Amino acid sequence: MREQRRSEIPEPDTLALRITPIPKPLYRINLRSVLKASEWKAIRQSLIRERGLICQSCGEKVLSADLQAHEQWTYDTSSEEAVATLTGIAIQCRMCHDCEHFFRILLLFKKGLILDDRITNLIDHFCKVNSTTTPSFNRHATS
């Protein structure tokens, strides 16, 4: 695969798969944490029935148990009280979901809870899904 020039790198909004960092004031605040486990499971199962056993990011067919419900949020940290607005819930395979939460995965790696080949596999998956390169991934991850 040839190296893409900076002007050829897809804009974050056009990527099928993105790294979506959570602002510190809103870290660990999510829909799963306010719902009962049974309610979250019912939402996930309903979405899987509605959308099928297909990852919405990479298009891979996945077993139901391996599909994740990924909360999609917009964040406003410009005011004194940060605000998170739920914009949707996507069904994703584990690889895509871990790419979205890449910085959490890096923290687990730094704590010695996962191996470095997991990081490499996630970067490769991100690049495959977005038809891009590792340097492009690195620029996206640090932007």
Side-chain angles (χ1 to χ4, degrees), residues 118-134:
R118 179 70 175 156
I119 303 296
T120 302
N121 291 340
L122 288 174
I123 293 170
D124 290 346
H125 186 73
F126 178 96
C127 291
K128 177 184 171 191
V129 171
N130 289 309
S131 300
T132 194
T133 63
T134 300

Side-chain angles (χ1 to χ4, degrees), residues 18-35:
R18 295 180 297 279
I19 297 170
T20 53
I22 300 168
K24 280 189 180 183
L26 297 166
Y27 190 67
R28 295 199 183 273
I29 298 172
N30 56 55
L31 193 56
R32 266 184 346 274
S33 66
V34 297
L35 295 175

Side-chain angles (χ1 to χ4, degrees), residues 102-120:
F102 188 74
F103 296 119
R104 182 180 72 67
I105 298 299
L106 284 180
L107 288 174
L108 295 174
F109 170 71
K110 288 177 183 175
K111 291 179 180 181
L113 299 174
I114 61 170
L115 301 174
D116 60 349
D117 65 332
R118 179 70 175 156
I119 303 296
T120 302

Side-chain angles (χ1 to χ4, degrees), residues 20-23 26 29 71-78 83-85:
T20 53
I22 300 168
L26 297 166
I29 298 172
E71 300 165 43
Q72 298 166 317
W73 299 87
T74 57
Y75 301 105
D76 179 2
T77 57
S78 62
V83 176
T85 303

Side-chain angles (χ1 to χ4, degrees), residues 53-107:
L53 298 173
I54 304 290
C55 174
Q56 291 182 261
S57 296
C58 71
E60 291 291 319
K61 186 168 180 157
V62 184
L63 296 174
S64 176
D66 295 332
L67 284 169
Q68 310 292 309
H70 173 67
E71 300 165 43
Q72 298 166 317
W73 299 87
T74 57
Y75 301 105
D76 179 2
T77 57
S78 62
S79 61
E80 190 166 318
E81 188 170 317
V83 176
T85 303
L86 183 68
T87 59
I89 302 174
I91 296 299
Q92 293 180 318
C93 67
R94 165 89 44 209
M95 292 291 282
C96 286
H97 195 241
D98 285 353
C99 283
E100 294 270 2
H101 296 292
F102 188 74
F103 296 119
R104 182 180 72 67
I105 298 299
L106 284 180
L107 288 174

